[in-house]
Amino acid sequence: MAPRLSLAALAAAALLAASASAQTVVPLDDALDLARTRSIDVLRASATVASARASAEAVDDRRWPSLSLTSGAGQRYGLAFDQTVGGLTQSTTEEVDVGLRASYVVFDGFERRAQARSTDATLRAAELDRAQAEQRAVAAVLQGYLAVAQAEAARVVAASATEAAEELMAEVETLVAHGARPAVEVSQQRERVAAAQARVLMAERDAALAEAGLVRLLGLEPAQVYAFPSPTALGAPVAEVGVLIERALAARPDLRAASVAVEAAEADGRAARAGRLPQVALSARVGTSYSSASPGFVGQFGDNRGGGVGVSVSLPIFDRGTTRERTRLAEARAQALRAEADDARRAVALDVREAHVRLTSLEDQAAVADVRVEAADAALAAERARYAAGAVTLQAVSLAESRAVEARAERERLRVSARFQRLLLDVAVGDA
């Protein structure tokens, strides 16, 4: 006989239905888009890109001449010849000077060009680092969705096991009522039903915690209720591992960032070596001045106007080893970055190979799990039939049921893990 629902249970069911209707569904594709824009790592990388772009623009602006407006004012104290008295007198003279100055570096030993290459390479490396941060955010979201999907699969299996345990409970109560089984089996089965219900609650807790992690990762509003459905499509067949490695070596942004970082370090070395070459600069100035020692105010600004053009050549002779130190540091950094780039290539190849091995293993294990579930379900059906006939104890049925539940739970875990491992393999290759 089915248990009757109380008013409290009906109210809880209604509240649950209302909450479900108020849920905001976040598909995986939308979550990945959010991760690429809201992840804290992506935001930090975007700030680094903005800083690198500002540095590149500043170096590019150095190709233009500099223009400045100069002005000065002062007082001079001392003796001066006074024409009215025909002798020296103590006086104070006010002076004002205004001018416009322009300067242009004609040749700087190719330092600016090398710095431009360095900042451009640094900017490209920052942009690639941001792409890598987006990939890390994508991988984190996939791991979060995997945790939610595994918890949901465990809940479904646990709920199915609870229903089976309740059905067996009703059967045990009927057999005990007819005197075919001892009364103690009712308590034993009731304990197993409670254990199955506890597993459902634990799976629901794991799902809620995984969902909370996704809310934090995606920057969603914590007060709202969200649903994170698991993708079901598996996509195209997986290519051979060698093909995947070649694609990863060509597409992974971290490898391209490492290569660009080497270019930036080499450009820094060329910029440092430019300190050994001479520099040539042009300068020009126009201006006028006023002094209270001379009569007239407006006329002085017209009479005292003047200007000049100059060329300066600076040849470094001894800079106390500054250029040599900068050159050595840049060369050492470039060498270290080359070694890191080579190591990164090997690491990427191994990442792809390991991801491919995990996917293949999960798919093979899932196929074996199907056979195990079929065998466990058949064994459980046989044990229940024997129990109904009085040939075995309830303990034997419970043991067979535990094996069947474990087999189903393991199969669902493997299926979900294999589905997400294909997506993680795409991340490892650089396709995500």
Side-chain angles (χ1 to χ4, degrees):
M1 177 175 160
R4 300 178 63 182
L5 294 176
S6 63
L7 292 177
L10 290 174
L15 181 61
L16 182 62
S19 300
S21 62
Q23 283 183 343
T24 301
V25 178
V26 184
L28 178 59
D29 291 340
D30 293 346
L32 296 180
D33 291 337
L34 288 174
R36 294 185 182 100
T37 55
R38 294 190 181 185
S39 171
I40 185 63
D41 290 340
V42 174
L43 294 177
R44 290 195 187 102
S46 298
T48 303
V49 169
S51 176
R53 180 173 290 110
S55 298
E57 292 174 353
V59 172
D60 186 65
D61 290 339
R62 286 174 51 190
R63 61 180 176 170
W64 303 108
S66 63
L67 184 65
S68 59
L69 178 65
T70 62
S71 65
Q75 288 182 334
R76 185 168 58 86
Y77 307 97
L79 297 176
F81 183 79
D82 190 343
Q83 296 180 358
T84 59
V85 300
L88 296 175
T89 60
Q90 186 73 24
S91 66
T92 300
T93 304
E94 288 83 14
E95 296 178 346
V96 177
D97 179 86
V98 294
L100 189 65
R101 180 180 179 83
S103 62
Y104 179 69
V105 178
V106 179
F107 178 73
D108 61 354
F110 306 108
E111 180 180 4
R112 191 202 66 81
R113 185 170 65 178
Q115 289 179 346
R117 290 178 180 176
S118 174
T119 53
D120 289 342
T122 302
L123 175 58
R124 283 183 288 145
E127 292 172 343
L128 292 171
D129 286 340
R130 180 176 60 186
Q132 185 182 2
E134 292 177 359
Q135 281 198 331
R136 289 196 300 268
V138 166
V141 169
L142 290 176
Q143 292 289 355
Y145 268 76
L146 172 59
V148 172
Q150 288 181 336
E152 177 61 22
R155 188 198 66 79
V156 171
V157 172
S160 176
T162 301
E163 293 178 0
E166 290 173 348
E167 291 178 0
L168 183 58
M169 179 71 185
E171 183 178 350
V172 170
E173 288 176 344
T174 301
L175 293 175
V176 169
H178 289 80
R181 307 297 303 183
V184 68
E185 290 188 349
V186 175
S187 299
Q188 294 174 348
Q189 186 58 24
R190 184 176 292 116
E191 178 185 1
R192 296 185 179 96
V193 171
Q197 292 172 344
R199 287 192 292 271
V200 174
L201 295 176
M202 291 177 62
E204 291 175 349
R205 177 207 63 186
D206 293 341
L209 292 176
E211 290 172 356
L214 282 173
V215 169
R216 175 187 295 274
L217 181 62
L218 299 176
L220 301 175
E221 176 58 43
Q224 296 184 10
V225 181
Y226 300 93
F228 303 97
S230 174
T232 57
L234 292 180
V238 178
E240 295 293 333
V241 64
V243 176
L244 294 176
I245 290 176
E246 291 180 0
R247 284 166 48 189
L249 294 179
R252 281 280 292 262
D254 49 345
L255 293 183
R256 288 183 287 161
S259 177
V260 171
V262 172
E263 294 180 16
E266 292 174 346
D268 288 339
R270 289 191 292 270
R273 288 190 293 272
R276 303 190 182 103
L277 300 176
Q279 291 190 357
V280 181
L282 292 177
S283 62
R285 183 186 184 280
V286 293
T288 186
S289 63
Y290 159 79
S291 175
S292 62
S294 301
F297 179 77
V298 177
Q300 285 194 51
F301 283 106
D303 297 338
N304 295 338
R305 65 182 182 274
V309 177
V311 178
S312 63
V313 179
S314 175
L315 178 64
I317 298 176
F318 178 67
D319 62 357
R320 295 178 297 181
T322 302
T323 300
R324 181 178 59 187
E325 180 185 6
R326 289 178 55 197
T327 302
R328 289 180 176 178
L329 289 175
E331 291 174 350
R333 182 169 178 267
Q335 184 178 2
L337 289 174
R338 290 190 198 96
E340 291 178 3
D342 292 338
D343 183 70
R345 289 178 61 85
R346 291 189 294 269
V348 165
L350 288 175
D351 286 345
V352 174
R353 183 177 295 276
E354 290 172 1
H356 188 272
V357 168
R358 283 193 290 269
L359 174 60
T360 303
S361 176
L362 287 171
E363 291 177 342
D364 293 341
Q365 291 180 65
V368 174
D370 290 336
V371 178
R372 180 187 175 190
V373 168
E374 293 178 1
D377 288 342
L380 175 60
E383 290 296 325
R384 291 194 64 168
R386 295 176 64 191
Y387 175 77
V392 296
T393 63
L394 180 61
Q395 182 67 24
V397 177
S398 299
L399 183 61
E401 185 176 357
S402 298
R403 288 196 294 265
V405 170
E406 180 183 356
R408 287 195 295 271
E410 181 66 9
R411 180 182 64 179
E412 294 305 316
R413 185 191 69 81
L414 291 171
R415 285 179 175 177
V416 171
S417 298
R419 187 161 62 245
F420 278 91
Q421 185 59 42
R422 295 191 67 168
L423 299 175
L424 290 172
L425 178 60
D426 291 338
V427 175
V429 173
D431 293 339

